[in-house]
Amino acid sequence: MLDDFMTRATLAGVGVACAAAPLGSFVVWRRMAYFGDATAHAAILGVALSLSLQVSIFAGAVAVALAMALTVTLLTGRGYAMDTLLGVLAHSALAFGLVAVSFLSGIRIDLMAYLFGDILAVSRGDLAVIWGGAALVVALIGWRWSALLTSTLSEELAYASDIDPRREQLVLTLALAITVAVAIKVVGVLLIAAMLIIPAAAARPLTRTPEEMAVTAALIGGASAVAGLRAAYVLDTPAGPSIVCVAAMVFLMTSVLKGLRA
C-alpha cells in the first residue's frame, strides 16, 4: 500500500495535521502567529547547514528552528519589541539560508521543494520521521496540557499554581521546532505557519473547550490535507498550497457560520 505515492502523501499530510493541531491551538490562544512564521523561516538555514555538514535535514531544521525560537525568547524585553525581533531574525535567517544554499557545490537541491513543500515525493523514511515527530509533539503537549493552559490563561495564576510560565514557553518552543522540521517536506517553510494557524482558527467557532478545539483542528487539518491532495491531483496544482487553500476555505465557512449565529 505504501508503494503508492498518493497514499504516502496522504499519510504525511495527516501526520503533519496531527502535530500542528494542538500546537496551533496554543499559537492562536497566545497570539504567536508571527513567532511560528519566524521559526519556520529559520528552518531553511537549517536545511543548508544539514546539506553542507551531511547530517539529517530533520536534525538541522530542528536545531536551527529551536535556536531561533530561544533567541527570540531571550532577547524579548531587552530594548526591542517582539514583532521587531521576529521581523529581523525571520527574514535574516531566511536570507542567510538562501545564500548558504547557493554556495553548496556538487549538491543538487530543489529549493522550491523546501519553500513550498514536495509532499508527492515523500518516502517511507520521511513518513517515519513525520509520524515520529508528530507523536513526540502530541505526547509533549499532552504531558504539559494543564500547565500550558494555565500559563496561557494568566501568568499570575500560573505562578500561584506553582507553574513556571517560562518553562511552559520552552515546551511550546521545542514542540514548534519539531513541527517545523516534520512539516518542511509537506508544505514547505513558507506555508508551515498557515497549517499551524488556519485549522485552529477554523475550529475555534465550532468548539467550546480547549480539548474540543485541538481535536477539531486536527480533523480540519487532516481533511484539508486529503481534500487538497485530491484537488491538486485533479486540477494539476501545487500540492502544498492546495492543502492550505482548502484549509482557508474551511476557515471562511466557519467564520460565516459564526456570523450567522451571532
Side-chain angles (χ1 to χ4, degrees):
M1 181 181 71
L2 293 182
D3 290 332
D4 185 351
F5 74 96
M6 284 298 290
T7 300
R8 293 195 299 271
T10 300
L11 290 174
V14 173
V16 169
C18 290
L23 181 60
S25 298
F26 283 103
V27 169
V28 170
W29 293 329
R30 288 174 173 243
R31 299 180 181 179
M32 294 171 56
Y34 203 15
F35 188 87
D37 201 31
T39 306
H41 283 184
I44 198 68
L45 179 58
V47 171
L49 292 176
S50 298
L51 292 173
S52 62
L53 298 175
Q54 297 184 343
V55 298
S56 166
I57 289 178
F58 174 79
V62 167
V64 174
L66 186 58
M68 162 69 81
L70 290 174
T71 300
V72 173
T73 301
L74 292 174
L75 292 180
T76 300
R78 298 192 177 185
Y80 295 99
M82 171 71 85
D83 59 345
T84 301
L85 279 173
L86 289 174
V88 171
L89 293 177
H91 299 298
S92 298
L94 179 60
F96 276 110
L98 295 175
V99 171
V101 167
S102 70
F103 283 113
L104 296 177
S105 59
I107 300 177
R108 296 186 62 184
I109 175 173
D110 183 3
L111 191 57
M112 295 297 289
Y114 290 105
L115 292 177
F116 297 101
D118 192 12
I119 190 173
L120 299 180
V122 167
S123 65
R124 293 189 179 193
D126 293 328
L127 275 180
V129 170
I130 290 170
W131 277 95
L136 183 58
V137 170
V138 172
L140 190 61
I141 297 297
W143 172 50
R144 304 301 304 169
W145 182 262
S146 179
L148 285 169
L149 281 178
T150 302
S151 61
T152 298
L153 182 63
S154 169
E155 287 193 3
E156 290 76 13
L157 180 60
Y159 282 120
S161 303
D162 198 25
I163 296 171
D164 186 355
R166 291 172 298 180
R167 181 184 60 201
E168 305 311 318
Q169 177 68 33
L170 288 176
V171 170
L172 283 179
T173 297
L174 177 59
L176 182 60
I178 296 172
T179 301
V180 166
V182 301
I184 285 178
K185 191 76 172 182
V186 177
V187 291
V189 299
L190 298 183
L191 297 175
I192 290 172
M195 284 303 291
L196 281 168
I197 300 164
I198 297 178
R204 196 169 193 173
L206 306 177
T207 56
R208 295 183 178 181
T209 67
E211 292 79 10
E212 286 181 2
M213 181 170 164
V215 172
T216 304
L219 293 175
I220 291 175
S224 298
V226 174
L229 281 170
R230 179 60 181 172
Y233 182 79
V234 173
L235 302 175
D236 193 24
T237 55
S242 297
I243 292 172
V244 175
C245 286
V246 172
M249 287 189 286
V250 174
F251 170 73
L252 178 61
M253 287 187 290
T254 59
S255 298
V256 171
L257 181 60
K258 179 182 179 181
L260 293 175
R261 287 179 176 179

